[in-house]
Amino acid sequence: MNKDLATTVHPKRCISPISVSDNTAQVGQVIDRLGYDSLTYLIAAGSLADADALFTVLLEESDLSGSGFTAVADEHLIGTEALASFQFDDDNEPRKLGYIGNKQYSRLTITPSGNASAAVVSAIALLGHPREMPTANPPA
């Protein structure tokens, strides 16, 4: 049994760790799936200080890297955006959301509501099932 995961995945920065103290949407980097057959977003919530804050996750897709983004249909997700979303009492809990659609580009957005205190959030896009292995280390 091959236990190697490192050479079969490729992490990409989506949302760098940031402390958000208002309701500004955190729009992730556009992720290009070219060369990979699977994609999972990994979301990390750090300290969430506001007692009534909600953080809603949205995944969008497009055939173009700079425009035409639309919400991903539920049947093209592994998990749900609701399960990937989090709230004030989910401190230090990770979330994940898989994409199985056919578009080359996607982007993740985390939108706070009711947030007036520092909340630390971040996200990584994990590309998998590469067409060429091993994947680069460190990732490019």
Side-chain angles (χ1 to χ4, degrees):
M1 170 197 271
N2 184 351
K3 295 182 181 183
D4 171 30
L5 181 63
T7 62
T8 65
V9 295
H10 188 74
K12 298 291 275 186
R13 179 177 66 89
C14 179
I15 299 174
S16 294
I18 186 167
S19 180
V20 182
S21 58
D22 58 16
N23 293 322
T24 301
Q26 301 303 306
V27 181
Q29 298 290 311
V30 172
I31 302 301
D32 184 349
R33 250 181 10 125
L34 185 64
Y36 296 87
D37 292 329
S38 63
L39 171 58
T40 298
Y41 284 89
L42 304 173
I43 301 162
S47 174
L48 306 172
D50 199 305
D52 61 354
L54 301 173
F55 299 83
T56 304
V57 171
L58 170 68
L59 188 59
E60 297 173 295
E61 63 185 358
S62 179
D63 288 320
L64 305 171
S65 64
S67 64
F69 282 89
T70 58
V72 174
D74 290 345
E75 62 265 18
H76 294 153
L77 296 173
I78 298 175
T80 66
E81 291 162 321
L83 288 174
S85 298
F86 49 98
Q87 63 184 24
F88 62 91
D89 58 354
D90 293 326
D91 294 275
N92 304 310
E93 293 182 12
R95 299 286 192 267
K96 62 184 177 179
L97 182 64
Y99 175 72
I100 56 173
N102 295 317
K103 305 289 184 178
Q104 183 174 341
Y105 301 98
S106 64
R107 71 177 175 202
L108 183 86
T109 299
I110 301 173
T111 304
S113 62
N115 184 48
S117 298
V120 179
V121 299
S122 67
I124 296 281
L126 189 62
L127 295 159
H129 297 96
R131 295 189 188 133
E132 293 185 24
M133 289 187 2
T135 58
N137 195 17

